[in-house]
Amino acid sequence: PGEGATEEASAPYNIEGLDRDPERAPLPAYNEQVNARIRVRITVNPQGRIVKRIPLIKGSPKLEAAVMDALQRWKFNALPPGAPQENQTGTITFTFRLE
């Protein structure tokens, strides 16, 4: 994933409000060409697993299902031993573009 102002340089997803890095982040498997954004509020446990997913900006049911399925396989870094071992919440926005 990249960062940039142009659509070609930007990442396929953006994570906000969560100070954790994804260790495994498979992209949604979706074969249809669309322009869409799907935003999901996630809760990550101290071990780095997503334990709750709530869609905030929805798309087609198939696209939304692909995003939710992909998020089931995501894993973030675990919290260090000295940090409070609490769930953390953030949002992920997936951007789909016609190519």
Side-chain angles (χ1 to χ4, degrees):
E3 297 253 348
T6 66
E7 291 202 12
E8 293 80 23
S10 64
Y13 62 85
N14 182 39
I15 301 172
E16 299 173 82
L18 191 64
D19 194 21
R20 310 268 293 268
D21 294 321
E23 292 180 346
R24 184 175 59 230
L27 294 177
Y30 190 72
N31 296 330
E32 296 178 31
Q33 297 272 330
V34 295
N35 280 321
R37 286 182 194 256
I38 303 287
R39 175 174 257 173
V40 180
R41 178 179 294 127
I42 60 168
T43 301
V44 180
N45 70 12
Q47 294 76 36
R49 296 271 179 209
I50 296 176
V51 295
K52 190 173 187 181
R53 303 162 308 188
I54 301 171
L56 301 175
I57 298 176
K58 299 182 172 197
S60 75
K62 287 182 181 179
L63 181 58
E64 187 178 326
V67 167
M68 298 303 247
D69 288 346
L71 286 174
Q72 281 188 306
R73 298 188 308 274
W74 278 46
K75 184 165 186 336
F76 288 84
N77 62 312
L79 290 174
Q85 299 297 302
E86 301 172 346
N87 288 350
Q88 296 178 333
T89 302
T91 59
I92 299 179
T93 303
F94 287 90
T95 303
F96 298 86
R97 291 184 202 93
L98 289 171
E99 293 188 7

